[in-house]
Amino acid sequence: MAVFLLLAGMVVVGYMIFHNIFVKGAVCKSNVKLHGKTVIVTGSNTGIGKMTALDLARRGARVILACRNKQRAEAALADIKRESGSNEVVFMHLDLGSLKSVRSFAETFLKTERRLDLLINNAGIYMQGSTEDGLGMMFGVNYIGHFLLTNLLLDRLKECGPSRVVNVASLGHNFGKIDFNCLSTHKELGVGESATDVFNIYCNSKLCNVVFTHELAKRLKDTNVTCYSLHPGIIETELGRYANSAFLMLLKPISMLFFKNSVAGSQTTLHCALQEGLEPLSGCYFSNCTVRNVYPKARDDAVAKKLWEVSESLCGLL
């Protein structure tokens, strides 16, 4: 019995150490206040986007919740106002799966809001399908919608600098690839409906986020706008709410023990958005509030330039 209790105690202590180091992770240490600043957080009605918006509201920022679902966004709006004590929180409709909606959002924002100091491209989806523009769903929502949004708002970011663009990517970008032939043929980053196919396409979309950030930093050189991409951690959020329900039920016990919650998952986003002195690291990729090296495919200048040009064409920016 004593041996059993000893072993059980060692397991508990081991898990606590593991949880604090690898699950809970680092915390954003910035004490910056944001009174007079305006930020946009896409996908901020739930998960790490909501926690990011809440933290920024507590710091005094005017926070724009850029979300697709009005009902869920208004519920999040009420929560954030109540918990932050701020009335400077606003919902604006944005459907990243519709280029028309992205343009409408940008037009409305530029007409009604005087400043933009932080653009946090947080929204993400994990499901197959097509957008209303005929793009692959994950390619369109996770990447192209944010590409267009960023480009439409860049002039305002430059006017209000120093300002930042933060792109929430994923560790999954390491498993991704950008197949320009597939993009040309299918307007998608991959084909197939199996679990493996869907995972690969998701990883491909996240590689686009990291490559986009690399290229954006080059194009923003000598301006007062900087940009960063990041892995928030493995998060227990609603990103996979469209996934197979049986799979999610099997995953639940694991996620409770080994996945970050939304507050912990928002910390690297906040670090990239707020930490002083990150300007020399523009274009870099962060994880656990620390800059990380990326594989050559994530910083390939030729691929980044081509992806930018293809994206401009798909968005009608040329």
Side-chain angles (χ1 to χ4, degrees):
M1 186 65 177
V3 173
F4 173 79
L5 290 174
L6 178 62
L7 289 173
M10 291 174 63
V11 169
V12 170
V13 171
Y15 173 75
M16 291 174 64
I17 295 171
F18 171 84
H19 184 275
N20 285 332
I21 296 175
F22 297 104
V23 179
K24 186 177 179 181
V27 175
C28 173
K29 297 179 180 178
S30 174
N31 294 316
V32 165
K33 298 298 181 183
L34 298 174
H35 299 283
K37 306 291 187 181
T38 299
V39 308
I40 294 172
V41 186
T42 69
S44 43
N45 62 333
T46 189
I48 61 176
K50 183 179 178 182
M51 292 301 101
T52 299
L54 174 59
D55 185 284
L56 298 174
R58 283 173 171 160
R59 294 171 186 265
R62 180 169 174 80
V63 181
I64 310 299
L65 308 181
C67 308
R68 180 183 61 84
N69 187 300
K70 181 180 179 182
Q71 182 178 0
R72 292 162 64 92
E74 288 180 342
L77 178 68
D79 289 344
I80 293 170
K81 282 186 171 182
R82 183 183 67 255
E83 293 180 36
S84 67
S86 171
N87 285 318
E88 289 294 303
V89 188
V90 179
F91 161 59
M92 290 180 60
H93 180 262
L94 171 65
D95 181 356
L96 289 160
S98 163
L99 297 180
K100 179 181 178 181
S101 176
V102 175
R103 291 182 180 278
S104 176
F105 172 91
E107 181 181 359
T108 301
F109 176 85
L110 293 172
K111 284 180 179 178
T112 59
E113 297 291 334
R114 188 172 54 89
R115 297 191 61 85
L116 180 58
D117 303 273
L118 272 173
L119 172 59
I120 300 180
N121 292 320
N122 164 82
I125 198 168
Y126 189 97
M127 65 177 291
Q128 277 290 57
S130 298
T131 70
E132 70 174 40
D133 304 288
L135 304 174
M137 184 65 75
M138 287 187 279
F139 176 62
V141 173
N142 295 353
Y143 168 63
I144 281 289
H146 284 129
F147 173 86
L148 177 59
L149 179 66
T150 302
N151 276 278
L152 294 176
L153 298 177
L154 267 184
D155 285 344
R156 181 61 56 84
L157 284 162
K158 291 175 182 177
E159 291 169 10
C160 298
S163 53
R164 296 182 183 184
V165 178
V166 179
N167 295 318
V168 178
S170 167
L171 179 68
H173 85 273
N174 288 321
F175 308 106
K177 65 178 181 180
I178 301 175
D179 185 339
F180 289 107
N181 289 329
C182 187
L183 264 182
S184 176
T185 304
H186 300 285
K187 292 187 178 180
E188 176 57 295
L189 295 164
V191 294
E193 298 291 337
S194 72
T196 300
D197 293 330
V198 175
F199 175 74
N200 287 337
I201 295 168
Y202 174 78
C203 293
N204 297 345
S205 73
K206 290 303 180 178
L207 177 59
C208 286
N209 294 146
V210 180
V211 171
F212 165 51
T213 307
H214 175 77
E215 178 68 14
L216 180 62
K218 292 172 60 180
R219 292 172 183 256
L220 291 174
K221 188 178 179 181
D222 299 324
T223 73
N224 52 5
V225 185
T226 54
C227 58
Y228 315 89
S229 64
L230 66 102
H231 169 56
I234 303 175
I235 315 296
E236 186 185 6
T237 72
E238 296 185 10
L239 177 65
R241 61 185 175 270
Y242 301 106
N244 180 277
S245 58
F247 171 75
L248 292 177
M249 287 180 64
L250 289 172
L251 188 63
K252 187 69 175 178
I254 299 173
S255 68
M256 291 175 65
L257 289 172
F258 298 106
F259 290 6
K260 289 183 178 181
N261 61 28
S262 297
V263 173
S266 67
Q267 296 305 305
T268 302
T269 300
L270 292 167
H271 176 83
C272 290
L274 303 171
Q275 187 62 44
E276 300 91 333
L278 291 189
E279 287 76 12
L281 299 174
S282 183
C284 289
Y285 169 82
F286 287 73
S287 178
N288 212 25
C289 298
T290 304
V291 67
R292 307 288 187 180
N293 292 324
V294 295
Y295 290 131
K297 65 181 176 182
R299 48 184 168 83
D300 185 306
D301 290 338
V303 170
K305 182 174 184 291
K306 185 172 182 178
L307 178 64
W308 188 285
E309 292 169 350
V310 168
S311 302
E312 281 184 321
S313 178
L314 290 171
C315 291
L317 287 176
L318 291 174

